[in-house]
Amino acid sequence: MIAFFSRWASLPAFYRRSGRWIPWLWAAAAGLLVVGTLGGLVLAPVDYQQGDAYRILFVHVPSAWMAMFVYMFMAGASASAFIWHVKLAEILARVSAPLGAAFTALALATGSLWGARMWNTWWVWDARLTSVLLLFFLYLGFMALQAAIEDRRRAARAGAVLALVGVVNIPIIHYSVEWWNTLHQGATVSKFDNPSMTWDMLWPLLTMALGFMVYFAAAVLVRARSEILERERHRRWVIDEVAR
Amino acid sequence: MKVSLASAWWAVLRRDLLLSVRRLGELGNPVVFFAAVVSLFPLALGADATLLRSVGPGIVWVGALLATLLSLEGLFRADFEDGSLEQLLLSPHPASVLVSAKILAHWLVTGVPLLLITPLLGVLLNLSPLAQGVLFGGLLLGTPTLSLLGSVAVALTLGLPRGGLLISVLLLPLFAPVLVFGAGAVGSALLEMPVLPYFYMLGAELALAATVVPLATAAALRASLGS
Amino acid sequence: MGPVMRGSMSLTDEALLAAVDLACVRGDRLLFEGLSFALAPGTVLKVEGPNGAGKTSLLRILAGLLRPEAGSVLWRGRDIAACAGDYAADRRYIGHQNGLGLALTARENLRVAAALQGIDGGAVSLDAVLEAVGLPQTGNIPAVRLSSGQRRRLALARLLMGQAGVWILDEPLNALDRYGQALVSRLLTDHLMGDGVAVISTHQALTLPAGVRQQMLTLAVA
């Protein structure tokens, strides 16, 4: 079992194997996103409370989910890097960050747009958006740290520590923001009341979420491969690989 | 070796305190900064006593946060530059325990002076005695957590150019819960609502940080020195 | 471009300290790979090479401060990555920097160093240690007022506190006059005669008695 894992996680093997998966992942992501968008924008019924404006949740909710998921992924990869000294795990954590930040920014932007439609303000300090904003800062901090450290290995290792510290703090941050919100704004935790979900609305949402997930998988593999090539460029297998 | 671990911990604490005391001039900076920042707000917001009383606790908290950020830069830097940090990591004793001594020394030298000057600043902002008390209690529980979390950020950015700015970026989201609970406690007190839950949260976060953070900081130091 | 070994190779199982297939990458440059050696008790390994060849990196890897890109370091047959605490108790590393708090006195510095090394501070006579490294009567002088040669001696004083089987010294002769260099030779000889091993990088010639087992390792810039 361990032998299988260490073979799988070896950088040359990972590089070659992932190269085969990537085109399929892109295709699957494109398909899912197209179907999900159609489902959300066209096929899903109009919400009787919020009209057509609610449709933005088909982008907002999956991107918020991905924002959280990617950080969990980074933290998991970082933990693996620490416990088993797996270089691939360090690399995956490092390259996921910009993707996670992008999802977070998308969630914030769509949240802002939704708010603008609903209450005519471009920003509300509700618990959910504020939590996402702080998550965004966590991502930015991680990326800033990576950018500041020139030595790739130190950068990846430092990033792993930061990701683990961050992940422990996320529930604390989330909880504290909810407290803060109830203290200052009364009982409602989120102004973004989700419309009650029928299946017609649910399946596009899940499709979009899955599409985002597959997109993330493809993008992470692409970035990881590029990072591996740069990091190991003195090694023979890289020289052979590039020559092909 | 168990007895030696405790004496090594004391030795590190004593060493850091001695070094700080012998550089007495530097100790004043965070306190002066704290006072200066807090004094800026009445200039910006106007001197209306009622306004100051309501925003005062938040201002003091943000000021304490910023002053802590400022003071963190020096936490490991001198030891990094003269090689003492390296020797600490080479010790057979667990680095995380030794690091906790350094963090405690930092709080004693930075956090405690901030605490001591808080009542004075409370007077400047027209805070009631109740608000002062809750403010002080919150800071007492919160500033050690700030030192702890700060130590991770400093350890990660050791030796990097413009590390100070990077430290602030890293710590902003991590400090948010302490800020929310600390300032929230005072807000709650002013509304005559229970304050203890906030203190419990601050205490819980401190307990968690005190046990977990030194491990992270030690790991971060190894990462930074292994390059 | 591999490192060049000269001198006898002992069997790995008798070795107090051994390196197996070490590789080191610094800043995307491969410094060395496939580096192996084994040191039986009483052996000193001299590491030579031009600046930037990786001598300091190698010593830091051997000390456990730096993780190698590949390979492992074995101490008494055990991988140091797995028994870091035990190894640390049996190993002394002195790098380029002295590791002294400049605002602390010589005695205070030694007291902290002893505590860090797991040695009972009360059992060691710090003044005797100071005398042994040629710093008599300096106990109460802050390190900042000592000359660089004196600070180097103070850093080396660590070696005289407690017993350690493995000494790793990076340019120990820096800033030392010829008396200081003689001191280092003496300390090393005693250590090696007591069945310790040492890994030393130095630009300068280090004279050791003829009976001492020596190995040489020359790192080249690739």
Side-chain angles (χ1 to χ4, degrees):
Chain A
M1 179 62 193
I2 295 181
F4 162 76
F5 189 62
S6 55
R7 257 186 292 120
W8 187 85
S10 93
L11 296 180
F14 171 81
Y15 184 83
R16 282 177 214 119
R17 201 168 285 135
S18 55
R20 291 195 291 266
W21 293 343
I22 285 176
W24 297 105
L25 288 172
W26 283 131
L32 285 166
L33 289 173
V34 164
V35 169
T37 310
L38 272 175
L41 289 181
V42 173
L43 296 173
V46 176
D47 179 66
Y48 78 98
Q49 272 184 330
Q50 299 185 26
D52 272 313
Y54 89 99
R55 292 180 195 277
I56 201 158
L57 78 75
F58 290 112
V59 177
H60 174 75
V61 172
S63 46
W65 287 349
M66 286 307 295
M68 270 306 299
F69 172 78
V70 171
Y71 205 91
M72 294 297 146
F73 176 78
M74 276 168 58
S78 304
S80 313
F82 258 110
I83 301 171
W84 296 295
H85 300 309
V86 181
K87 268 188 267 183
L88 177 62
E90 276 178 358
I91 291 173
L92 286 175
R94 180 180 153 102
V95 301
S96 308
L99 295 168
F103 282 124
T104 316
L106 187 61
L108 286 172
T110 49
S112 170
L113 273 175
W114 198 356
R117 246 349 220 104
M118 301 287 293
W119 306 289
N120 275 316
T121 52
W122 287 99
W123 183 259
V124 279
W125 284 99
D126 96 314
R128 219 158 69 189
L129 266 192
T130 309
S131 277
V132 174
L133 180 65
L134 289 174
L135 182 62
F136 190 51
F137 282 125
L138 280 176
Y139 275 116
L140 290 181
F142 185 93
M143 287 160 57
L145 183 66
Q146 296 290 296
I149 301 177
E150 287 202 21
D151 178 6
R152 250 170 238 285
R153 282 154 188 79
R154 174 180 167 182
R157 203 154 294 144
V161 176
L162 185 61
L164 288 172
V165 171
V167 87
V168 170
N169 270 278
I170 283 181
I172 302 177
I173 292 173
H174 194 75
Y175 194 42
S176 70
V177 169
E178 276 191 21
W179 267 50
W180 165 79
N181 203 260
T182 51
L183 174 69
H184 294 285
Q185 276 171 240
T188 49
V189 159
S190 174
K191 292 191 136 181
F192 295 87
D193 291 323
N194 287 326
S196 43
M197 288 281 180
T198 62
W199 174 247
D200 291 334
M201 296 183 198
L202 195 55
W203 78 259
L205 188 65
L206 296 176
T207 312
M208 287 295 277
L210 193 58
F212 276 22
M213 183 78 77
V214 176
Y215 168 81
F216 169 67
V220 144
L221 290 182
V222 168
R223 302 193 88 240
R225 296 173 91 233
S226 156
E227 172 75 14
I228 289 172
L229 283 184
E230 280 211 56
R231 185 164 148 151
E232 306 282 303
R233 62 172 174 265
H234 54 267
R235 297 294 214 78
R236 192 146 303 139
W237 70 267
V238 172
I239 298 170
D240 293 340
E241 193 71 39
V242 170
R244 273 209 275 122
Chain B
M1 200 81 114
K2 253 177 68 178
V3 171
S4 293
L5 175 59
S7 54
W9 188 84
W10 275 113
V12 172
L13 180 65
R14 199 168 158 271
R15 176 186 184 276
D16 276 26
L17 289 177
L18 268 178
L19 282 172
S20 297
V21 160
R22 290 180 190 170
R23 287 195 297 247
L24 211 48
E26 291 175 18
L27 292 186
N29 285 342
V31 176
V32 173
F33 180 80
F34 185 30
V37 164
V38 169
S39 309
L40 282 176
F41 281 87
L43 290 172
L45 300 171
D48 173 33
T50 327
L51 174 67
L52 288 183
R53 195 172 300 134
S54 72
V55 298
I59 292 172
V60 171
W61 265 99
V62 171
L65 224 94
L66 293 176
T68 305
L69 278 177
L70 190 76
S71 72
L72 280 170
E73 253 190 288
L75 178 50
F76 294 123
R77 189 167 24 100
D79 288 347
F80 174 64
E81 284 167 2
D82 65 31
S84 322
L85 203 53
E86 203 167 63
Q87 289 297 326
L88 189 144
L89 290 182
L90 286 167
S91 165
H93 297 301
S96 52
V97 175
L98 299 177
V99 159
S100 71
K102 294 184 90 68
I103 299 172
L104 177 61
H106 176 265
W107 177 72
L108 286 173
V109 159
T110 309
V112 170
L114 293 183
L115 269 180
L116 295 177
I117 206 185
T118 301
L120 191 62
L121 298 177
V123 166
L124 286 180
L125 297 170
N126 261 295
L127 299 183
S128 69
L130 173 65
Q132 288 262 39
V134 177
L135 188 59
F136 188 87
L139 282 171
L140 181 62
L141 287 173
T143 44
T145 309
L146 298 182
S147 284
L148 281 161
L149 290 171
S151 74
V152 182
V154 179
L156 287 171
T157 55
L158 218 45
L160 298 178
R162 292 183 306 281
L165 201 54
L166 187 52
I167 290 172
S168 311
V169 169
L170 294 179
L171 287 174
L172 210 159
L174 300 179
F175 278 179
V178 176
L179 183 61
V180 162
F181 290 128
V186 187
S188 189
L190 293 176
L191 293 173
E192 285 167 19
M193 297 218 303
V195 160
L196 265 185
Y198 291 87
F199 281 3
Y200 283 147
M201 292 306 296
L202 283 173
E205 195 175 355
L206 176 56
L208 180 65
T211 41
V212 167
V213 165
L215 294 163
T217 305
L221 287 174
R222 283 193 204 284
S224 294
L225 266 96
S227 66
Chain C
M1 175 72 54
V4 176
M5 289 284 313
R6 282 199 299 265
S8 58
M9 279 267 283
S10 319
L11 292 172
T12 314
D13 358 297
E14 292 174 357
L16 184 46
L17 186 69
V20 180
D21 237 0
L22 285 179
C24 176
V25 172
R26 308 290 289 129
D28 297 340
R29 244 189 347 128
L30 176 68
L31 291 179
F32 52 80
E33 60 180 337
L35 195 160
S36 303
F37 62 76
L39 304 177
T43 314
V44 58
L45 175 68
K46 288 190 193 176
V47 181
E48 293 183 336
N51 290 332
K55 301 191 299 295
T56 297
S57 299
L58 172 62
L59 264 59
R60 288 169 70 85
I61 290 175
L62 294 175
L65 283 171
L66 189 56
R67 196 176 295 153
E69 187 68 17
S72 52
V73 179
L74 300 177
W75 164 72
R76 301 183 195 271
R78 300 158 69 188
D79 190 338
I80 61 171
C83 59
D86 295 337
Y87 179 47
D90 196 34
R91 171 262 285 133
R92 298 280 184 268
Y93 170 84
I94 298 182
H96 283 282
Q97 295 159 314
N98 292 323
L100 303 171
L102 290 179
L104 299 175
T105 67
R107 200 178 290 125
E108 284 165 347
N109 269 301
L110 283 186
R111 190 176 299 134
V112 173
L116 283 181
Q117 277 165 199
I119 299 162
D120 183 5
V124 176
S125 165
L126 298 176
D127 288 322
V129 169
L130 286 171
E131 282 225 33
V133 292
L135 294 174
Q137 316 283 330
T138 54
N140 289 326
I141 300 181
V144 67
R145 288 219 292 264
L146 299 174
S147 72
S148 51
Q150 288 176 311
R151 289 184 207 171
R152 199 65 176 144
R153 287 167 182 260
L154 186 55
L156 292 169
R158 261 188 210 101
L159 300 170
L160 287 176
M161 296 192 295
Q163 293 281 60
V166 178
W167 284 9
I168 301 172
L169 309 176
D170 197 352
E171 311 273 357
L173 304 178
N174 265 356
L176 290 179
D177 55 20
R178 69 171 191 277
Y179 299 107
Q181 295 175 14
L183 168 70
V184 175
S185 293
R186 251 190 346 263
L187 292 178
L188 258 181
T189 309
D190 291 341
H191 172 72
L192 294 168
M193 290 306 181
D195 278 343
V197 300
V199 180
I200 311 213
S201 90
T202 174
H203 291 298
Q204 293 143 301
L206 184 65
T207 47
L208 292 169
V212 166
R213 255 186 292 192
Q214 299 187 34
Q215 291 186 29
M216 285 260 281
L217 175 59
T218 308
L219 296 176
V221 177

